Amino acid sequence: MTEHTAGSTTRTEVAAAERPGLGRTGVWTLVITALAGFMAALDNLVVTTALPSIREELGGGLSDLEWTVSAYTLSFAVLLMFGAALGDRFGRRRMFVIGLTLFTVGSAAAALSPGIGELIAARALQGVGAAVSMPLTLTLLTAAIPAAKRGMAFGIWAGVNGLAIATGPLVGGTLTENFSWQWIFWVNVPVGVVLVPLAALKLRESRGANPALDAVGTVLVSLGLFGVVLGLIRGNPDGWTSPLVLGALAGGVLLLVAFVRYEQRGAKHPMLPMRLFRNRTFTAVNASGLLMSLGMFGSIFLISQHLQTVGGYTPEEAGVRMLPWTGVGLIVAPLAGILADRLGGRPIVVLGLVLQGVGLALYAAINAGLGHYAYGPVVPAVVMCGVGMSMYFAPTAAMVMDSVRPEEQGIASGANNALREVGGALGVAVLAAVFSEQGGDGSAGTFVHAMGPALYVGAAVVLAAGACALLLPGRAARAGAVVDGAVVAEQPAAEQPATIERVGDAEDVGSVEEAVPAEAAQA
């Protein structure tokens, strides 16, 4: 057992931080978590392009088809914080392996589904598995990578995840057109079969310090997120004044308010300690993440439809034309992580958000001014959005992990992912509502006219995220103590009591040693 206090570190951590590379454990953890994150992010969007083929083979109405998408989104978003809490309680590696197993089983069940009802159930199981494993990817990666080397690792992780998000329609369209819709699920199975034993053998086990599970808080936040996300998903299809939507939104908000009050006053071992939000980094990162997801993912939804509806491209062809957006992430995201290690995360994040906002506004302005469809003129705007998005994820992943104590990193990752999922659902709902209000997709001209105001709203929200990111502390303010050249991660609040984290199976690092005296860790 290793005691982590403000201004202290372990000799093991110092030695690991001084090594030039990531180490075997670090490399294995990066590969496993990046691939697992890729699968989970890909399945958020991959099914959308296969819906006509699914309906032709399995039948079902429009509502059933919508639920093949919503079942995954809903179970994923709702259970993210619960999955993180389970990892802290029962072991992060153990729960990551269980989550991967559930996701792989759910993928096989989806591919084998004989009817639409079975497919919806399998998609929900996929979402549960992703919700358990996805928030733990960052926690496992943080534990395996020394603080001074996390930027590049988070950049690679973010680039791979960003590639999955933006290439979902391309992958889905390609597999459906050239093979069958079942293959959008079958591709996950061999990857999962390989990753599960690798994760069990190569990842280091760790737990949070709190042995108790906050049952009341878990129920409140899970039901609250369920209501909010369900209302946002069903708002446009069912109407924002329908009883289901109004009831779900109102009930969800009330439950989330009750969750906050309970965590503040009633929870003996709170699932999400509200004092974390007193940390400026934690609050600013989560606020900017919520707004960025709202503006950017709502805009991606409309742009992908624009390429197909107005441009006349197949889903596969539209996905190819999104590659200037997605492809740059594999190069830019690792570089952004490295620069964030050297310059601090704030300038990288702010610049990335500004580029995203300007890129979205430019895309809308170019299309409004053309008078006819043309792909070439919008390529600079697409690249600008891709570069900006790639600059965002790696630094913020590092900052949210560094803003809390090690034993709180699991729930911090879960909260950050949950807020971004809610932001994404809210973005699709809000921008689609603006789009519909301006005329919708009745014709190519109407589509372009309606898309402009919606993208301007998305751009404004992303720029608001940039304003939130300006509140992030600079590099000097966030710098922690240094021990023999190794940076000690920032602690969230000086008044917090010392806590204990349990770590095991340190394959590359060696046995856990006694803590360096606090006096030796002072800068």
Side-chain angles (χ1 to χ4, degrees):
M1 297 178 67
T2 306
E3 186 174 4
H4 291 266
T5 59
S8 69
T9 186
T10 65
R11 293 192 182 101
T12 300
E13 290 168 337
V14 172
E18 292 174 340
R19 292 175 184 169
L22 301 179
R24 286 175 301 165
T25 298
V27 171
W28 276 115
T29 304
L30 177 58
V31 170
I32 293 167
T33 57
L35 287 175
F38 181 89
M39 289 197 304
L42 187 72
D43 272 59
N44 233 335
L45 293 170
V46 72
V47 74
T48 56
T49 52
L51 292 179
S53 298
I54 291 173
R55 185 175 189 176
E56 183 179 345
E57 183 169 332
L58 300 184
L62 179 62
S63 178
D64 295 321
L65 292 178
E66 290 173 347
W67 273 109
T68 63
V69 179
S70 300
Y72 182 88
T73 304
L74 195 58
S75 58
F76 181 45
V78 166
L79 297 175
L80 276 165
M81 290 181 64
F82 183 47
L86 289 175
D88 287 347
R89 171 65 179 86
F90 297 107
R92 292 159 182 164
R93 179 181 62 185
R94 176 185 298 172
M95 294 311 303
F96 179 77
V97 169
I98 291 174
L100 266 181
T101 302
L102 289 175
F103 183 85
T104 304
V105 171
S107 298
L112 294 170
S113 296
I116 196 72
E118 291 83 356
L119 178 60
I120 292 171
R123 289 284 289 162
L125 181 60
Q126 278 187 300
V128 173
V132 173
S133 60
M134 189 64 177
L136 298 177
T137 58
L138 273 181
T139 316
L140 291 164
L141 194 56
T142 301
I145 305 294
K149 303 179 182 73
R150 285 177 193 153
M152 181 181 66
F154 282 136
I156 295 171
W157 176 90
V160 171
N161 279 265
L163 183 66
I165 291 170
T167 57
L170 170 62
V171 173
T174 300
L175 291 173
T176 302
E177 288 181 26
N178 295 291
F179 299 98
S180 68
W181 66 264
Q182 285 89 347
W183 278 98
I184 65 177
F185 302 115
W186 278 128
V187 292
N188 294 325
V189 176
V191 179
V193 168
V194 172
L195 286 184
V196 167
L198 277 179
L201 292 171
K202 298 295 184 180
L203 298 182
R204 293 166 52 195
E205 183 62 285
S206 65
R207 292 178 173 83
N210 183 10
L213 191 64
D214 179 10
V216 175
T218 297
V219 171
L220 287 174
V221 74
S222 298
L223 291 178
L225 286 172
F226 179 85
V228 170
V229 176
L230 176 63
L232 293 174
I233 288 173
R234 303 306 306 172
N236 285 312
D238 295 349
W240 291 99
T241 58
S242 69
L244 171 64
V245 172
L246 288 178
L249 290 174
V253 170
L254 288 175
L255 286 168
L256 290 178
V257 170
F259 167 72
V260 172
R261 291 183 64 84
Y262 176 77
E263 296 295 283
Q264 285 177 320
R265 301 180 182 180
K268 185 176 180 181
H269 301 289
M271 177 188 193
L272 178 62
M274 291 296 116
R275 58 177 167 72
L276 295 183
F277 290 96
R278 296 202 298 268
N279 181 294
R280 192 171 71 177
T281 301
F282 185 80
T283 300
V285 166
N286 282 293
S288 66
L290 176 69
L291 293 173
M292 189 280 297
S293 296
L294 193 162
M296 184 53 66
F297 292 116
S299 299
I300 289 175
F301 174 78
L302 290 177
I303 289 172
S304 64
Q305 298 303 310
H306 174 248
L307 291 172
Q308 296 177 58
T309 302
V310 180
Y313 301 117
T314 66
E316 182 179 3
E317 293 168 339
V320 169
R321 282 157 181 80
M322 289 291 283
L323 285 178
W325 187 319
T326 61
V328 296
L330 291 176
I331 300 172
V332 175
L335 292 177
I338 293 171
L339 287 174
D341 280 343
R342 297 179 179 178
L343 306 176
R346 181 174 66 182
I348 309 300
V349 171
V350 171
L351 178 59
L353 290 168
V354 170
L355 287 174
Q356 290 181 63
V358 173
L360 290 176
L362 187 61
Y363 190 100
I366 290 172
N367 276 285
L370 281 176
H372 63 280
Y373 177 81
Y375 173 71
V378 300
V379 170
V382 172
V383 172
M384 191 178 295
C385 288
V387 171
M389 180 181 284
S390 302
M391 293 175 69
Y392 175 83
F393 285 109
T396 54
M399 285 189 286
V400 78
M401 291 290 98
D402 289 344
S403 69
V404 300
R405 296 179 181 275
E407 68 276 3
E408 295 168 334
Q409 287 174 341
I411 196 60
S413 174
N416 182 253
N417 276 278
L419 286 170
R420 284 196 284 109
E421 283 296 313
V422 171
L426 184 60
V428 172
V430 170
L431 268 62
V434 174
F435 175 77
S436 298
E437 182 66 25
Q438 296 296 316
D441 57 357
S443 65
T446 304
F447 192 107
V448 173
H449 172 77
M451 181 181 67
L455 290 189
Y456 286 132
V457 170
V461 173
V462 172
L463 291 175
C468 289
L470 286 172
L471 299 176
L472 289 166
R475 181 173 177 81
R478 294 183 66 249
V482 178
V483 184
D484 296 332
V487 178
V488 180
E490 174 201 29
Q491 297 299 325
E495 73 274 16
Q496 292 178 16
T499 50
I500 304 296
E501 167 146 19
R502 289 170 283 171
V503 182
D505 300 342
E507 171 196 324
D508 227 13
V509 178
S511 59
V512 178
E513 303 179 48
E514 66 274 18
V516 175
E519 312 88 68
Q522 298 305 312

